[in-house]
Each structure stands twice: as structure tokens, then as C-alpha cells.
Amino acid sequence: MGNKSGKKSRSSTELTPKEIAMLKANTRFSEKEIRDWHAGFLRDCPSGKLDKKKFIEVYKQFYPQGKADSFCKYAFATFDANNDGTIDFDEFLLAIAATSQGDLNDRLEVAFEMYDVSGDGQIDQKELANMILAMYDLLGETDRKGDRDPKKRAAEIITKLDVSGDKKLNKQEFIAGCKNDPVVQRMLAPNA
């Protein structure tokens, strides 16, 4: 992946043996599955790069009843590992694998990274409430009163999982709490 533009653009649309080996080592996908995912990715993103706008379009297909924009802002930032404003195929497939194939710890780690918007290694009540609101939007959930109020729900989750008492969740508290609470686990990692 050198600096020459010809080489760089070729590498974003062609799978190299090294790339396939890396993806096989870091996912449970076979070479055929990786090639199939790659073909689909290039159909949607002929340049080999997925920008935020296209990312939102793709998510909207999976959640037609909801509003994907807010949730996608968080997800896109998490999956754009090199912060270049696009998601290349490697980032895309590693994100798919982490959210669908990984064990519960892996998936909860991805969830934590997504919810920790400030990047300070902690999730505070505001970050969690904003994430819950984005998830409600994504799912088309309109009942946000009483126990379903995002701020109230965030406060309850933090109170329940916050072992250190600092009103924030670090990664260990988040993962341990989610693993030990079936309701929170379902809400924060619905595919778990």
C-alpha cells in the first residue's frame, strides 16, 4: 500500500494474498466468503471506499423503519479505524466480523468503543443516553417515556454497572456488567 496513487487505488479494489491471509486470520470467514464479501463491497463501492453517506444508505436498508443517521455517526467513527473519513474493505470486513462473529467479549468491546464517543476510556451518562437515543432512532422506537426515557435508562445502567462509584463505566465494568445482566446484555449487544 505504497504512496503512489496507482498502487494505492489498485490495492483498495483488488484483494492481495496478504490481505486475504490477514482477513482469514482475524475473522472466521473462508477465502471464498471473503471474496464474496469483497465482490459485494465493490458493487456498492466501486472505488473500494465506503464514505459516511453510503454507509448510512446501507444501514437504512437493514433498518427501514428507523432513522439510521445518528447511530451511523457513532458506528462509522468506530469502524473508520485509520480516521480517513472512509471505510475500506479491510475495516468493513473486520467490523462485520467483530459485530457478528466475535465472542461476547469481542462484541462488547466493539460496543464499548462505539459508546465511548469522547475516547477517554470511559462511558458517561450523557454518552450512553445519546447512544440509546440513536439506537431508538435506528429501530424506529417511539416510546421514550417513563422507564424507556434514554436519560433515565442510561442512569439506571450506569448505577447498576458502575463498580468504582465514579458514575462512569470503564471497559472492564461495561463488559462484566453486560455479561452478568441479561437485560442490559440484550439492549447493548442485541446479537449476543
Side-chain angles (χ1 to χ4, degrees):
M1 300 215 189
N3 292 332
K4 294 179 183 167
S5 61
K7 195 172 187 181
K8 188 169 184 163
S9 108
R10 194 187 96 237
S11 69
S12 65
T13 59
E14 291 178 22
L15 276 176
T16 65
K18 188 175 179 181
E19 220 175 338
I20 291 170
M22 183 278 294
L23 290 168
K24 280 177 68 177
N26 288 289
T27 71
R28 294 185 188 146
F29 293 122
S30 67
E31 181 170 342
K32 182 190 181 322
E33 289 169 322
I34 291 168
R35 289 187 182 284
D36 289 347
W37 273 106
H38 188 252
F41 184 82
L42 288 180
R43 257 194 315 279
D44 291 336
C45 309
S47 69
K49 297 282 187 178
L50 179 62
D51 65 17
K52 195 180 289 186
K53 184 179 177 194
K54 186 69 176 177
F55 185 78
I56 292 170
E57 283 176 30
V58 170
Y59 251 87
K60 283 181 177 178
Q61 292 171 11
F62 292 106
Y63 298 95
Q65 75 282 15
K67 296 179 188 134
D69 303 60
S70 292
F71 182 83
C72 285
K73 177 179 75 176
Y74 298 112
F76 189 88
T78 302
F79 300 149
D80 178 14
N82 65 357
N83 296 315
D84 70 351
T86 62
I87 296 174
D88 65 23
F89 179 70
D90 294 352
E91 290 169 324
F92 171 77
L93 198 63
L94 291 170
I96 295 288
T99 57
S100 65
Q101 294 181 336
D103 67 13
L104 181 57
N105 279 358
D106 293 341
R107 286 184 282 172
L108 289 173
E109 241 179 83
V110 171
F112 181 86
E113 298 300 326
M114 196 155 63
Y115 302 151
D116 178 19
V117 176
S118 66
D120 65 355
Q122 307 249 341
I123 298 173
D124 64 26
Q125 188 172 326
K126 184 178 179 192
E127 286 172 320
L128 190 56
N130 287 338
M131 197 64 212
I132 291 168
L133 195 58
M135 287 170 31
Y136 281 179
D137 286 350
L138 181 67
L139 299 172
E141 176 60 61
T142 55
D143 178 11
R144 300 172 186 199
K145 293 183 173 48
D147 288 345
R148 301 193 60 76
D149 175 86
K151 288 180 183 168
K152 183 176 180 184
R153 192 155 246 185
E156 288 170 358
I157 290 169
I158 287 184
T159 299
K160 191 169 197 170
L161 304 183
D162 178 23
V163 176
S164 65
D166 62 359
K167 299 195 184 324
K168 294 180 179 182
L169 301 178
N170 63 37
K171 192 181 288 188
Q172 291 75 25
E173 289 171 327
F174 178 81
I175 290 173
C178 289
K179 285 171 74 172
N180 292 320
D181 186 307
V183 175
V184 173
Q185 184 180 317
R186 261 196 323 276
M187 189 178 133
L188 296 178
N191 298 326

